[in-house]
Structure formats: C-alpha cells, structure tokens
Amino acid sequence: MWGIFLESLVIFQNYVGFHQYRFLFVIYLVCLLYLWVAEKKKSFRAIFVYTPTILLLCFFNPLFRKAFVALLDDAETYYRLLWLLQMSMVSAYGAVKLFGRFRKTGLIVTGAAIVLCGSLVYRSEHITRAQNWYHLPAEAVEVADILKPAEGRVMAIVPADLVYYIRQYETAINMPYGREMLIARWDYYNDLYEAMERAEVIETASFTELTRNYGCDYVVLKKDRAVEEPLTDFGFILYAQTDNYLIYQDTEAGEQAGTGR
C-alpha cells in the first residue's frame, strides 16, 4: 500500500509540475484552505472546496487506486482524475475572494504571488504566439482554405504536421487517417500512412493507387518530399501551392470533388 501511495505521489508531482512550478501548487493549496474558512455559500463550497478535497483524498488512497485500475483495466489514465481538481479555477476564485475582502492588501499580495511564482508562457518550447484568431499555424489555415469545398465534402491526404490542424479548422475536409497514426504507443497501422510518411521516397505508382482506393481528391506534399516520379504523370494536376506545400488534385476524382462523396 505504501508503494502505491508513493507512485500516486510521483504522478501528482509530475502533473502539477512540482519540481519547476511548486509555488503554483502552494498558491492553489493556500486558496483551497482559505475557501474552507471563508466560503459560506453551499453551492460554491461544493464546487471549490468539497470536490477538490475529496478528489485529493481519493487520488492518494491506495485502495481507491486499486479499485480504479481493476474496474477500468487501465493504470495509464489514473492521472486524469487530477483534471477534475480545476486548479486554475480554485486558485483564481480563491484569490479574487481574498482581495475582494482585503482590497488593496489582497490585490498586492495576489499580484506579487503570480508575478514572482509564475513564468512567461512563451518561454516554453511547446507554446508559441498565436498567428491568427484560430490559434492555428497560418499555413495550415491557408492549405485548408484551398482544400475547402464550395459545398459538400472532400477527401485529402496531408503531411503529418498538418493532420492535427486541418479538421480543427474545416470539418468539410475528410482525411483517410487522423492523429491516431501520430501516437506511437497506440501502434495503429494504415497502409496509406506508411506510403506517405514512412517511405524514404514515395513510390508514386503504388501511392497514387492507394490514394484512389481511399477516395482522396487532393494530395498535399511538402515541397522537399522525395517522390520517384511526379504525381502529374499519374493523372494529378498541381492545383495550388503555398510556401512549404504542393497541393495536387486527382483529375480522375475531380468530377466528384466537393459533392459530398
């Protein structure tokens, strides 16, 4: 049981970024404790006090973890219980309630805590400034606008670095595979993905045959993607291009493109 508790503790520390941003958790804990004392509304206490406290107690309870894993047969998703803590909501509400009661002092203390304990999000390698209102790469939006049909739907195969973004922006563009192919531990197989991404050089004849089997109206390739023979020798036309991508249209599928097939 002690070992299970220690494993849960490590999961918790990794989740809250304790080794780098431990002060943020301290702020959360202080706000939670303050709300235990200061919050009087029952509905608010249920959301901001009782729920996170019960979740924390359950998360660190070895018996609860054993039951969770046994019932769901999945130990890898246990950390997702921590999503329900709503750390940002509890911290924000607790801080607002604190400087709402002690106006100037509370505002100064809360503001100082955020500045001193936090960090600029753009210092992270995983976060970049938004290029547009959609918070998507500008070129992904440009490609999607080119592929977007006037009506109905089209099928398009795109490079792996665009897979996440195309359908976020435009649901009228279908794709033969999605993000499941990009997560290695899921170990999915798709012959078209193998031909598109795994092959060092795209074998044009077999590749174009696969795209037609999957009903692809468009093929999007990076400009530096190596292909044995030009797609234009196999019934495709260069429909459009952007700074980094070439967009080919299958003339054999052209009559059906945009008709909801």
Side-chain angles (χ1 to χ4, degrees):
M1 290 295 181
W2 179 246
I4 295 176
F5 171 79
L6 291 179
E7 287 180 2
S8 298
L9 181 60
V10 171
I11 293 172
F12 180 79
Q13 289 177 334
N14 290 335
Y15 175 78
V16 300
F18 192 78
H19 302 293
Q20 290 180 300
Y21 309 113
R22 65 185 67 187
F23 294 113
L24 295 180
F25 177 68
V26 172
I27 292 175
Y28 169 76
L29 189 59
V30 169
C31 289
L32 179 60
L33 293 175
Y34 175 72
L35 290 174
W36 263 104
V37 177
E39 184 55 60
K40 303 303 180 184
K41 293 183 179 179
K42 291 183 178 180
S43 58
F44 283 21
R45 287 182 69 85
I47 297 172
F48 296 111
V49 178
Y50 300 143
T51 299
T53 302
I54 292 172
L55 282 168
L56 283 171
L57 292 175
C58 289
F59 183 83
F60 288 109
N61 188 325
L63 293 176
F64 178 84
R65 184 178 177 187
K66 291 184 70 174
F68 179 95
V69 174
L71 290 173
L72 299 182
D73 193 27
D74 186 0
E76 292 187 5
T77 60
Y78 188 65
Y79 74 94
R80 293 182 179 177
L81 284 175
L82 297 174
W83 293 356
L84 302 177
L85 287 177
Q86 297 295 342
M87 295 179 63
S88 58
M89 287 180 59
V90 173
S91 298
Y93 179 71
V96 169
K97 193 170 184 67
L98 177 63
F99 68 68
R101 182 175 180 182
F102 304 102
R103 294 296 175 90
K104 291 183 178 179
T105 303
L107 181 59
I108 293 172
V109 171
T110 304
I114 293 173
V115 172
L116 296 175
C117 302
S119 63
L120 183 65
V121 294
Y122 295 117
R123 290 177 181 172
S124 170
E125 61 178 333
H126 304 295
I127 299 177
T128 57
R129 293 184 182 275
Q131 300 177 20
N132 48 55
W133 288 105
Y134 307 105
H135 287 245
L136 298 173
E139 197 163 12
V141 173
E142 184 180 359
V143 170
D145 280 336
I146 293 171
L147 297 176
K148 180 180 178 180
E151 58 181 20
R153 295 178 177 274
V154 293
M155 178 75 76
I157 178 172
V158 302
D161 57 346
L162 291 179
V163 165
Y164 282 109
Y165 307 119
I166 296 298
R167 293 218 9 119
Q168 289 184 56
Y169 177 75
E170 180 52 66
T171 58
I173 303 171
N174 291 340
M175 296 186 292
Y177 50 78
R179 73 185 185 95
E180 72 279 358
M181 300 307 304
L182 308 182
I183 301 177
R185 65 185 177 85
W186 288 1
D187 197 28
Y188 278 88
Y189 176 84
N190 180 286
D191 50 358
L192 185 53
Y193 177 81
E194 296 292 318
M196 176 74 164
E197 299 292 339
R198 302 285 189 186
E200 186 174 342
V201 178
I202 291 179
E203 299 178 359
T204 314
S206 58
F207 174 72
T208 54
E209 182 179 354
L210 284 171
T211 63
R212 285 166 179 152
N213 289 341
Y214 279 86
C216 295
D217 304 292
Y218 297 95
V219 172
V220 181
L221 297 178
K222 288 185 176 180
K223 286 186 174 180
D224 59 356
R225 186 66 169 102
V227 294
E228 279 189 344
E229 302 173 78
L231 268 66
T232 50
D233 292 348
F234 290 81
F236 286 78
I237 61 170
L238 181 58
Y239 181 75
Q241 59 181 305
T242 64
D243 288 343
N244 296 296
Y245 301 98
L246 299 174
I247 302 171
Y248 294 92
Q249 183 182 36
D250 188 350
T251 56
E252 294 186 9
E255 295 181 357
Q256 300 178 47
T259 58
R261 73 183 193 131

